[in-house]
């Protein structure tokens, strides 16, 4: 990436994309004012349920971090963070966070959390390289959480246990909203179905990963796809993951690889899968080394975060993020994430939504 003293990174060449719109006639169930009230209800209820279910203490999180530490999340390994120099730090470069995956692990270690207890926080990020559509925005708001675990808990079965707890929180929130807005009927199945990315590749070899997700999410209603980032039987990957937070290379204990995954639900308004959460058991020193090697990123071992981890100085954790605006979008049966958050949208996107009767919260 070229160095720059500007407060934003240079944008990629824009790619024309067809706006994602409902296939059927759409009219928002709640008006704009009711929607704003419902968003508050969802956020307050869900974060309390999550905190209670997972034994999480709320902490305050940073909006930016030092670029030289390796703490910022680089997601798939290619997204560029927004950066800016600070005058009183001798123009040292800081970066707006893209998520808090590594920062949370440092925080759990600093707080000396014992296994079974952890933290959560409101994470606000800017991802300028994200594609913008009905599901994606350059502004990201999510509940980031991290929990201390024992080494013996580094199994796919423990991950499934945590996923089930989070899914129960989502189910309870869905009923909470239905109890107040009876026109919004519950649609989630009683249980989330666990699947594996390598099995899906073998089962649907002629489909893309996104097409596989659509087939199984529509079939089951709610799925957790395990093993995101590691190589599949055909040498491809289901989706990208950076090498330094989720463990996607270790044996999972049941004949598969990967101790992480994505939680998806079927969005009946847009008729497509909606990812609500990404989570996983975090790398230990051994899996970090292997993943850095696989991604040709061994130079990161010299950074502060990676050095501490390789020396065994960081608590073993599990963690993830849960999209706030996406959860509100799903639970309120909205057709666009711009109905539950304020962001900036291309003129073409804004015009298409207006024509389709979708009222974005962005002012014009």
């Amino acid at each position: 990436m070229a160095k720059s003293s500007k407060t934003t990174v240079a944008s990629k060449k824009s790619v024309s994309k067809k706006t994602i719109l409902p296939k059927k006639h759409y009219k928002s169930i709640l008006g704009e004012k009711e929607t704003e009230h419902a968003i508050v209800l969802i956020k307050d209820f869900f974060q309390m349920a999550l905190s209670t279910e997972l034994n999480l203490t709320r902490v305050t999180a940073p909006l930016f971090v030092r670029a030289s530490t390796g703490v910022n999340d680089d997601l798939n390994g290619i997204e560029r963070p927004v950066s800016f120099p600070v005058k009183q730090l001798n123009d040292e470069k800081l970066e707006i966070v893209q998520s808090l995956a590594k920062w949370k692990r440092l925080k759990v270690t600093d707080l000396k959390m014992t296994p079974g207890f952890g933290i959560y926080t409101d994470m606000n990020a800017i991802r300028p390289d994200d594609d913008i559509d009905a599901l994606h925005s350059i502004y990201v708001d999510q509940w980031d959480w991290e929990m201390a675990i024992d080494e013996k808990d580094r199994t796919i079965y423990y991950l499934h246990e945590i996923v089930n707890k989070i899914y129960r929180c989502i189910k309870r929130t869905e009923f909470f909203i239905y109890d107040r807005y009876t026109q919004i009927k519950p649609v989630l199945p009683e249980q989330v179905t666990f699947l594996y990315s390598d099995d899906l590749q073998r089962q649907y070899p002629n489909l893309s990963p996104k097409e596989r997700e659509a087939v199984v999410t529509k079939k089951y209603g709610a799925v957790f796809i395990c093993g995101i980032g590691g190589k599949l039987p055909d040498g491809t990957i289901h989706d990208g993951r950076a090498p330094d937070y989720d463990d996607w290379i270790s044996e999972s204990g049941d004949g598969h690889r990967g101790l992480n995954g994505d939680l998806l639900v079927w969005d009946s308004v847009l008729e497509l899968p909606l990812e609500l959460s990404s989570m996983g058991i975090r790398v230990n020193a051994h899996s970090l080394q292997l993943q850095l090697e696989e991604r040709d990123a061994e130079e990161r071992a010299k950074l502060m975060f990676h050095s501490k981890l390789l020396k065994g100085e960081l608590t073993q954790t599990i963690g993830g993020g849960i999209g706030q605006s996406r959860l509100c979008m799903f639970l309120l049966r909205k057709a666009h994430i711009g109905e539950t958050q304020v962001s900036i949208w291309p003129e073409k996107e804004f015009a298409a939504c207006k024509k389709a009767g979708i009222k974005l919260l962005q002012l014009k």
Side-chain angles (χ1 to χ4, degrees), residues 134-172:
L135 309 180
H136 301 87
S137 166
I138 61 172
Y139 167 62
V140 180
D141 57 339
Q142 64 185 37
W143 291 284
D144 258 354
W145 62 274
E146 200 82 8
M147 182 198 305
I149 63 174
D150 278 322
E151 186 67 23
K152 65 178 177 59
D153 294 324
R154 301 189 79 255
T155 69
I156 198 70
Y157 309 108
Y158 187 79
L159 174 62
H160 289 184
E161 180 183 329
I162 298 301
V163 171
N164 281 324
K165 288 183 177 183
I166 292 172
Y167 186 68
R168 285 199 293 269
C169 293
I170 295 173
K171 284 275 293 176
R172 287 204 295 272

Side-chain angles (χ1 to χ4, degrees), residues 175-188:
F175 174 75
F176 173 76
I177 288 300
Y178 169 64
D179 200 36
R180 282 147 185 79
Y181 305 98
T182 55
Q183 64 272 45
I184 303 179
K185 309 295 183 184
V187 296
L188 288 171

Side-chain angles (χ1 to χ4, degrees), residues 26-314:
Y26 173 75
K27 183 177 181 181
S28 178
I29 297 174
L30 302 181
E32 186 173 341
K33 221 174 160 184
E34 282 184 304
T35 296
E36 295 282 15
H37 292 160
I39 289 171
V40 175
L41 291 175
I42 289 171
K43 291 186 176 183
D44 286 349
F45 183 90
F46 180 81
Q47 68 181 355
M48 184 58 65
L50 182 71
S51 172
T52 303
E53 190 73 56
L54 296 185
N55 300 321
L56 305 177
T57 298
R58 193 191 185 285
V59 298
T60 302
L63 178 60
F64 40 80
V65 294
R66 282 183 157 89
S68 59
T69 60
V71 173
N72 202 1
D73 183 1
D74 59 356
L75 306 172
N76 296 317
I78 58 173
E79 292 87 349
R80 303 165 298 171
V82 175
S83 63
F84 58 95
V86 178
K87 180 180 178 181
Q88 287 195 278
L89 295 178
N90 297 317
D91 280 345
E92 178 182 359
K93 187 170 75 170
L94 303 185
E95 293 177 347
I96 302 292
V97 299
Q98 297 198 105
S99 90
L100 297 171
K102 296 194 281 291
W103 178 88
K104 291 178 297 177
R105 191 164 181 181
L106 290 169
K107 189 68 173 179
V108 167
T109 300
D110 184 60
L111 291 174
K112 298 179 172 58
M113 308 295 289
T114 57
F117 295 86
I119 61 172
Y120 81 97
T121 190
D122 283 307
M123 191 282 296
N124 295 285
I126 300 175
R127 297 180 182 172
D129 280 353
D130 268 13
D131 293 328
I132 298 175
D133 57 30
L135 309 180
H136 301 87
S137 166
I138 61 172
Y139 167 62
V140 180
D141 57 339
Q142 64 185 37
W143 291 284
D144 258 354
W145 62 274
E146 200 82 8
M147 182 198 305
I149 63 174
D150 278 322
E151 186 67 23
K152 65 178 177 59
D153 294 324
R154 301 189 79 255
T155 69
I156 198 70
Y157 309 108
Y158 187 79
L159 174 62
H160 289 184
E161 180 183 329
I162 298 301
V163 171
N164 281 324
K165 288 183 177 183
I166 292 172
Y167 186 68
R168 285 199 293 269
C169 293
I170 295 173
K171 284 275 293 176
R172 287 204 295 272
T173 309
E174 183 183 48
F175 174 75
F176 173 76
I177 288 300
Y178 169 64
D179 200 36
R180 282 147 185 79
Y181 305 98
T182 55
Q183 64 272 45
I184 303 179
K185 309 295 183 184
V187 296
L188 288 171
E190 284 304 309
Q191 303 292 332
V192 60
T193 298
F194 292 91
L195 303 167
Y196 294 85
S197 59
D198 54 352
D199 288 341
L200 293 180
Q201 190 277 319
R202 282 186 286 261
Q203 188 175 359
Y204 304 104
N206 297 322
L207 299 183
S208 70
K210 292 303 177 186
E211 289 170 335
R212 294 169 204 154
E213 289 180 356
V215 169
V216 296
T217 308
K218 184 176 182 179
K219 178 179 179 179
Y220 296 108
V223 299
F224 187 82
I225 300 178
C226 308
I228 307 292
K231 289 183 179 178
L232 300 175
D234 65 350
T236 64
I237 59 174
H238 185 85
D239 199 1
R241 285 295 185 276
D244 42 20
Y245 54 100
D246 280 354
D247 187 331
W248 40 257
I249 205 167
S250 293
E251 293 285 349
S252 63
D254 59 353
H256 299 272
R257 281 188 179 274
L259 298 171
N260 70 333
D262 291 341
L263 176 62
L264 301 101
V265 296
W266 183 251
D267 188 309
S268 58
V269 176
L270 293 175
E271 297 184 53
L272 47 70
L274 181 64
E275 180 190 320
L276 294 183
S277 179
S278 176
M279 69 189 83
I281 291 172
R282 306 310 196 184
V283 288
N284 58 17
H286 178 65
S287 57
L288 173 63
Q289 192 66 57
L290 292 177
Q291 292 182 181
L292 289 178
E293 290 173 3
E294 184 163 313
R295 293 292 164 83
D296 294 320
E298 292 97 325
E299 73 282 354
R300 295 192 197 179
K302 301 175 183 177
L303 296 171
M304 179 273 288
F305 172 85
H306 304 72
S307 177
K308 282 179 173 289
L309 202 159
L310 291 169
K311 292 176 183 176
E313 296 175 0
L314 299 184

